[in-house]
Amino acid sequence: PVSTLARLALRDGVLVLAGEPRSRPRGRGASLHPDAACLRAALKQGAFARAFRGRVERFDEAEFLQQLTAATAALRSRNRESS
């Protein structure tokens, strides 16, 4: 389900989290399972370059994964509260 995916955007060549999964930031975006294996597979396969039609110029995998994990934990907590 969409509620389990993280929404990503590319801003000035930097991959960033784009807020709520259901929100649609301007421009192109991508959705990703909040999982280290999915992130690594997407990077290896060039999925972000295709999705954004541009190159991810700067990327710190460890830092981004930490942000992704924190955002996912907050989202799961909100989903439990609304159920």
Side-chain angles (χ1 to χ4, degrees):
V2 170
S3 63
T4 64
L5 300 176
R7 188 75 181 152
L8 311 175
L10 190 64
R11 294 199 181 112
D12 299 322
V14 179
L15 191 61
V16 296
L17 289 173
E20 295 292 323
R22 292 180 199 98
S23 70
R24 306 291 296 187
R26 290 187 307 167
R28 300 186 63 82
S31 296
L32 177 75
H33 286 105
D35 178 88
C38 288
L39 176 60
R40 288 185 187 108
L43 289 166
K44 184 177 179 179
Q45 296 170 2
F48 295 128
R50 282 192 308 278
F52 300 124
R53 294 185 186 165
R55 194 176 135 206
V56 177
E57 295 175 10
R58 290 175 285 154
F59 182 74
D60 181 336
E61 184 178 330
E63 181 181 330
F64 187 79
L65 191 55
Q66 185 177 25
Q67 292 172 10
L68 187 61
T69 302
T72 301
L75 180 61
R76 285 183 183 147
S77 176
R78 275 188 250 134
N79 285 344
R80 274 188 240 122
E81 291 172 3
S82 64
S83 297

